Amino acid sequence: MTSVSEAAALTSAEALRAQRKARRAHALNRAASTLQIVGLGWLSPLLRLAAGENPRQQGLELWRQAGVPVTALFLFVAAWAWLAPQVHTSLGAVPGPAEVWEQAGNLAADHRAERAKEAAFYDRQAKRNAEILAKDPKAEVKTRPYAGKPTYLDQILTSLKTVFSGFLLGALVAVPLGVACGLSRTVNAAMNPLIQIFKPVSPLAWLPLVTMVVSATISSDNPTFEKSFLTSAITVTLCSLWPTLINTAVGVSSIDKDLMNVGKVLQLSAPTMVRRLVLPSALPYIFTGLRLSLGVGWMVLIAAEMLAQNPGLGKFVWDEFQNGSSTSLAKIMVAVFTIGLIGFLLDRVMLAFQAAVSHGSTR
């Protein structure tokens, strides 16, 4: 009896260990999926190593996901530092990593100094208004806005606001049109020539037309949106909506016909069928188009800001190019890395949003 009891207890303990191991593996898989989405997939092997899973395999995986990229970046920086001094321009030698990093710090310091000036400006204004009201409580006081120059970080925020506005406007146009094209061959035949004609048009061709239309349409001295903002945002919309439209149409047209027949048998209304059957089935295609559109919109925006001299990162690059100072090249390279990093982060944001609203193997 004792041996039977001991065997049963041993079996129960092994079953509990197996259950804990299965729960831990499931939690690790969910965490690994989330980390991969946000671009931190290299942390997954560390989590598995901490959990005691096959140290050799996780070590190799950590080297592949973190060691190899870090080594590649190190080699790139080393090659850059070696080659940069050997390339001379009208503004001097191409700046190396140290010079670019120094200018990045200077731009951040300039931003902090400008914000300090702004705070001091409003403090002086508030103090003056308080003195006026102390002498005459009925006196009319005014608060003037700070008119300092936009800093580098301000330019980044301006560009982000503009690209998201243009992208969202494009998505609101492209997704419904894509659904209509995917569901109806007639609509698709009508839209296809327009798509093929306008899709290859460069933003440099759209920009003069958009500028003239916006200038002719908005005549108010205090419009709700600035003309420069509308010009850049609409240009982004016109150039970025096509990937979303095309991918949405392809996704909707590839939906299983049996699924659509089920909706007809259940006598679902057209809006209900689109909301319950069409959009969930085509969601992967739609998000692929949205990610492509956001990337295109970000590239288009920089070019539009440079050409039209609208506020944003593109204008910052052009101003530094025209400035021609000894630090201009380094600041332009800071902007180049910033544009690339923001483009990567925008793609990660869209991927995370896709994971949040769709269902996969880990959800």
Side-chain angles (χ1 to χ4, degrees):
M1 283 297 289
T2 303
S3 60
V4 173
S5 300
E6 291 176 350
L10 183 61
T11 302
S12 177
E14 291 177 350
L16 288 174
R17 283 197 296 271
Q19 290 177 0
R20 286 196 296 269
K21 185 176 180 180
R23 287 196 297 268
R24 185 177 60 193
H26 181 67
L28 285 173
N29 288 332
R30 288 178 61 89
S33 176
T34 302
L35 291 172
Q36 193 68 36
I37 288 172
V38 298
L40 298 175
W42 56 273
L43 288 176
S44 178
L46 289 178
L47 293 177
R48 296 183 186 278
L49 277 173
E53 284 194 15
N54 197 337
R56 177 179 174 81
Q57 179 182 352
Q58 299 309 320
L60 291 174
E61 187 65 18
L62 180 62
W63 165 251
R64 185 181 68 84
Q65 292 199 31
V68 172
V70 169
T71 302
L73 286 174
F74 175 79
L75 293 175
F76 167 75
V77 171
W80 174 18
W82 177 63
L83 292 173
Q86 303 180 37
V87 180
H88 293 272
T89 69
S90 59
L91 300 179
V94 172
E99 291 86 350
V100 172
W101 181 257
E102 179 184 0
Q103 290 308 315
N106 290 340
L107 289 171
D110 291 343
H111 175 77
R112 291 192 295 269
E114 191 66 24
R115 293 288 78 81
K117 291 180 182 178
E118 181 181 8
F121 171 81
Y122 284 116
D123 287 341
R124 289 193 303 269
Q125 199 167 190
K127 184 179 179 180
R128 183 174 61 251
N129 290 340
E131 293 174 353
I132 294 173
L133 291 174
K135 294 178 180 178
D136 182 7
K138 297 182 179 180
E140 183 179 351
V141 296
K142 295 182 179 181
T143 301
R144 293 181 298 162
Y146 182 67
K149 65 177 182 178
T151 65
Y152 182 66
L153 294 183
D154 295 332
Q155 303 277 38
I156 292 175
L157 293 177
T158 299
S159 291
L160 287 174
K161 180 181 71 173
T162 305
V163 76
F164 272 117
S165 300
F167 165 74
L168 290 175
L169 181 59
L172 291 175
V173 173
V175 173
L177 280 179
V179 171
C181 291
L183 291 176
S184 171
R185 292 184 179 180
T186 303
V187 176
N188 185 59
M191 289 296 301
N192 187 58
L194 299 177
I195 295 172
Q196 300 305 323
I197 291 172
F198 291 120
K199 181 169 68 71
V201 177
S202 167
L204 304 183
W206 281 119
L207 191 58
L209 294 174
V210 174
T211 302
M212 288 187 290
V213 171
V214 169
S215 299
T217 304
I218 300 178
S219 57
S220 172
D221 294 332
N222 295 306
T224 305
F225 299 104
E226 296 181 359
K227 293 181 180 180
S228 59
F229 167 77
L230 287 176
T231 300
S232 297
I234 293 173
T235 303
V236 169
T237 298
L238 291 173
C239 295
S240 67
L241 63 87
W242 310 111
T244 299
L245 197 161
I246 293 171
N247 277 272
T248 301
V250 171
V252 171
S253 63
S254 62
I255 295 175
D256 191 349
K257 301 303 178 186
D258 292 337
L259 186 63
M260 301 299 293
N261 291 334
V262 169
K264 294 177 181 178
V265 169
L266 295 176
Q267 297 183 347
L268 298 178
S269 63
T272 302
M273 187 175 293
V274 170
R275 188 176 69 254
R276 295 294 183 86
L277 299 180
V278 174
L279 290 179
S281 300
L283 209 56
Y285 287 90
I286 295 174
F287 269 100
T288 298
L290 290 173
R291 290 172 63 190
L292 291 172
S293 290
L294 189 54
V296 170
W298 182 240
M299 290 189 293
V300 164
L301 175 65
I302 303 303
E305 289 173 345
M306 290 181 68
L307 183 64
Q309 286 293 280
N310 292 334
L313 272 175
K315 185 177 186 301
F316 172 84
V317 172
W318 185 255
D319 288 346
E320 288 299 329
F321 175 72
Q322 295 292 329
N323 183 23
S325 69
S326 58
T327 61
S328 291
L329 279 179
K331 290 181 179 179
I332 290 173
M333 294 189 74
V334 172
V336 168
F337 284 110
T338 302
I339 292 167
L341 182 60
I342 291 176
F344 167 76
L345 293 177
L346 291 177
D347 184 72
R348 292 291 103 182
V349 168
M350 287 303 303
L351 193 59
F353 186 61
Q354 177 181 358
V357 301
S358 60
H359 293 277
S361 58
T362 60
R363 298 185 71 243

